[in-house]
Amino acid sequence: MPANRDVTVPGGTALDNLGVRLHDGVGTLRVWSQNASSVELVVFDSTDLDWVTDQVDLERLPGGVWEVTTPLLQPGVRYALRVGGPHGPGNTFNPETLLLDPYARGLAQGDGYEEWRSVVIVDGFDWGDSRKPQIPLDRTVIYEGHLKGLTKRQPDVPPALHGTYAGLAHPAMIEYFHALGITSIELLPVQAFVSEPRLLERGLTNYWGYNTLNFFTPHNAYATEESRKGGPEAVLAEFKGMVRLLHEAGLEVILDVVYNHTAEEGLGGPRWSMRGIDNASYYRQDSNGAYIDTTGCGNTLNTSTDAGARLVLDSLRYWAQEMQIDGFRFDLATSIARDAAHTYTPEHPLLTAISNDPILKDAKLIAEPWDVGLGGWQTGNFPAGWHEWNDRYRDRVRNFWLSDIDYARRASAPVGIGGFATRLAGSSNTFSDQRGPLASVNFVTAHDGFTMHDLVSYDVKHNEANGEHNRDGADMNRSFNHGIEGPTDDPAILAARRKAMRNLLGTLLLSAGIPMLTAGDEVGRSQRGNNNAYAQDTAMTWLSWDDEPWQEDLRAHVAKLIRLRAENPALRPSKYARLGEHIPNASVMDWFDQNGETMESEQWTDPGNRTIQYVAASTPDTEAANRILLIVHGTEAPIDVRLPDEIEGATRFVSLWSSADESPSDAGEVFAPGDVLPIPGTSMRLFRVE
C-alpha cells in the first residue's frame, strides 16, 4: 500500500508500510511494538511449518517500529515473529512464542490449533473492466447473509462450489439476487477467524465468524478445495474473483468487520499475535493489566493508540483497494470509537480518519452503534457520513405488528400509531437533519436473533442446541407466536403468521431509510426458535432452497416491494422535509386518519387509533415527481377506510400492493378520492397517487 502523507492519519508517516513490502528482489518487514526489547523474524520450510530454516533480528526505529530488509522474504514464504520484552502489569512477552504478523496478507495453518504462520503475498489481480457499482444510497437494498449458508444447499450451484466464495458468484446466485432485486450483499465475517476452545470442546464451531484471527486475510475455509490446496495465494484469487463477478453483475459487496476485539480472548487465552507483540498497547486495560472488555468477548482493541487505530484504518484501506470491497458494517462500532478514558466520542480520530480517507471516500460505512461497555448504546450519535443499524426502528416495528397485537388479544392495544409512523417516515427523532433518513439502516431481523418466520412463530427462544441450557441469546424478542408455540397445522394460525411476515417485510421495504433484509426471510426460513445460532453450522442455519408454495408467494411479495421501492422515489427520500420549504430529494408527508381527515395531535398517541393514511410526495432533482399513499391498519378487527379527498391535484389512487393478499396482485385497481375501502385486520395497502 502506498505511503499516506496525510498527517491526520493516526501515527502519520512513521506507521506507513507495516507488514511485508516486496521490492528490488528483497522484502522489508515492519512491525510496531512500543514496549518490546527485541523482535525476530523466523522463516519456515514451505511444507513443514515446524522446521525453522532462518531467523534474523529486526532493528528498532523511532516511533516503536521494528524493521528488517532481507532476501529471505519472498512470495509464498511462511514466517512468524518472536518478540521479547519486559515483565510487569500489561505486558505478556515471551520470546519463545511464534506470533502472526498483524499485517500478514496470507495465513497457513499447521497441525495444531495454535500453529499458524504468516505468508508473504504478492498483491495483484486482473480486474478487467470490473468497477465498483457505487449504488446510490437511496436505491440501496442490503441483503445480509452468511457466505457458506447462502450456497451450501443451493441445487443449481455445483457441489464443489457449495459454501464457497466461488459459489456465491455462480450465475445461479446472481440470477437469484437480480430476481429478488437486492443491490448489496452484506457478508457475515470473512476475515480469517477461528472457533473458541470452549466451542470446540462441545463439538461446535463459531459459525458466524465474529472471532477474528487476522484483519487482512480472507477466511481459508470458505474457499474451494482446489483453492485451499493451492495455498493462500489461490484463496486470495478466488475471493477477488468472487468480487469481480458480483461487480460485473452490478452487485455490491459489503463486509461485516470485527475490529472491536480479536480471537486472543481474555488473559490466559491464546497468544497468536498482538498479545505477544505489545499487549499493553494493543488491548484496553487498567493500570493493573486487567482487560477492560466492552465487547463481551474477553478483550477490546485499543484504538485510542495510534497503532491500534492505524491497524483498523490500514485494514479497511486494503480491503477497499486491493479487494475492491464496497462497504463495511462495523460490529460493536462503539468500541472502536472510545478514547483513552474508554469513553465513546463521535470525534474519535479513527472515525474521522475513516471518513476522510481518499481510498474509503465512496465506501458505505455502517455502524452497529452499541457495545456492552459503559455508555455503549449510541444509536443516532455517529458522525455525518456514517449509517447506523437502527434498533429503535426494529423494536418499534416488532412491537406494532407483534407484541402489541398479542397484548391486545388479552386487553387492548397498549399504544397508538405515532411512534410507528415516525419510524416509517425515517426516524427524524433519532437522526439529525444534516444526516437525514439515509443515516438509518432499517432492519426487523438480522443474523443475531429470530428469523422473520420464528419472530411470528415463537414467544420465547429455544436455544438448547447451543449447549448452554438455553441461557444464551436475548430474552426480550418482541415476538408473537399467534396462539401456538412453534410448528402447527392450524390453518388460521398459519395464515395469521404469513400475513404478519408480509406486514413486517412491507414495513421494512416501504420505510424511509436504507432497508436491510436478512437472507432467507424472503422465504420464511426457520431456525426452529433458536435466536442465537452462532454455533450452528448445520442445516438449521443454511438456506434450504426447497420452497413450498407459500414461500414462493412470500418471495414474490418481497421482489415486488423492492421493485415498487425503486419505482417510487417518494418511498426513498435522502433528506427530511421542512414545513414551508422546498427541500430537494425530501418527501413531503401528510397524514390522514381512517376517515380521510388530517390527523389531530391527540390521535397520534391514542391507543384506540391504530389506523393511518400516509401520503408522501417526492421532490427529486433527477427523477419525475411521485406521490404514494400507504394505509396502515394495526388491529385485528377489519375496518372501513375513506380515501382522502384533500390531496391537491389528486384524481385517483392506483393500487400497487396489499399485505392481505397471499400472493401479490398486479390488478392495479383504481379508486377515487373519497372512496371507502374495506381493510382487513392487521394489514397494509399501497397506492400511487395520480
Side-chain angles (χ1 to χ4, degrees), residues 310-560:
R310 185 63 175 270
L311 176 66
V312 174
L313 180 64
D314 286 346
S315 172
L316 291 169
R317 298 176 78 217
Y318 177 75
W319 289 92
Q321 186 174 49
E322 294 294 338
M323 312 291 247
Q324 290 291 293
I325 293 303
D326 302 280
F328 305 91
R329 179 266 186 188
F330 294 78
D331 182 63
L332 301 181
T334 300
S335 284
I336 69 168
R338 290 181 178 270
D339 59 20
H342 316 298
T343 301
Y344 170 79
T345 172
E347 293 82 29
H348 194 285
L350 176 57
L351 296 187
T352 302
I354 292 171
S355 297
N356 294 338
D357 193 277
I359 292 174
L360 301 173
K361 64 182 177 65
D362 295 320
K364 290 179 167 69
L365 306 174
I366 302 170
E368 181 183 38
W370 53 79
D371 64 14
V372 301
L374 187 65
W377 187 75
Q378 294 293 333
T379 304
N381 294 330
F382 272 70
W386 287 77
H387 315 278
E388 302 176 37
W389 272 26
N390 189 348
D391 57 324
R392 289 181 170 181
Y393 176 94
R394 174 200 64 198
D395 293 349
R396 177 62 71 175
V397 171
R398 288 187 181 191
N399 281 349
F400 185 82
W401 291 118
L402 299 176
S403 55
D404 286 0
I405 303 302
D406 180 22
Y407 189 89
R409 286 190 178 185
R410 299 187 299 273
S412 59
V415 296
I417 202 167
F420 175 87
T422 300
R423 298 301 164 195
L424 184 70
S427 296
S428 60
N429 61 345
T430 300
F431 300 100
S432 66
D433 283 349
Q434 178 192 15
R435 299 179 67 193
L438 295 177
S440 176
V441 175
N442 298 330
F443 68 109
V444 178
T445 70
H447 66 276
D448 186 3
F450 280 145
T451 66
M452 189 75 72
H453 175 278
D454 292 354
L455 198 63
V456 304
S457 306
Y458 294 89
D459 279 353
V460 296
K461 64 187 181 182
H462 297 268
N463 298 354
E464 290 80 6
N466 296 349
E468 300 179 37
H469 307 289
N470 209 34
R471 292 192 297 262
D472 62 305
D475 292 319
M476 173 63 76
N477 296 286
R478 296 176 166 84
S479 60
F480 177 35
N481 67 18
H482 290 84
I484 295 177
E485 186 74 356
T488 179
D489 294 326
D490 187 309
I493 290 177
L494 291 175
R497 290 176 176 178
R498 291 193 298 270
K499 186 169 63 170
M501 284 190 279
R502 295 193 294 269
N503 285 328
L504 292 165
L505 289 163
T507 303
L508 174 66
L509 293 166
L510 300 178
S511 293
I514 299 174
M516 185 187 80
L517 177 69
T518 304
D521 278 353
E522 73 273 19
V523 291
R525 180 181 72 88
S526 175
Q527 291 178 169
R528 302 195 294 275
N530 192 319
N531 75 349
N532 189 36
Y534 76 104
Q536 299 299 319
D537 187 1
T538 67
M540 176 193 292
T541 52
W542 307 332
L543 272 65
S544 75
W545 299 96
D546 183 17
D547 298 332
E548 299 178 16
W550 72 266
Q551 294 177 294
E552 295 173 359
D553 286 341
L554 186 61
R555 182 173 62 242
H557 272 284
V558 172
K560 181 168 186 175

Side-chain angles (χ1 to χ4, degrees), residues 642-664:
R642 181 179 180 273
L643 296 176
D645 56 10
E646 301 176 12
I647 304 174
E648 183 178 353
T651 61
R652 64 179 197 162
F653 300 91
V654 180
S655 179
L656 300 178
W657 175 79
S658 171
S659 70
D661 296 336
E662 284 286 354
S663 59

Side-chain angles (χ1 to χ4, degrees), residues 184-199:
S184 310
I185 302 162
E186 182 179 305
L187 296 173
L188 269 63
V190 296
Q191 293 176 341
F193 65 87
V194 294
S195 295
E196 297 88 335
R198 63 179 178 81
L199 290 179

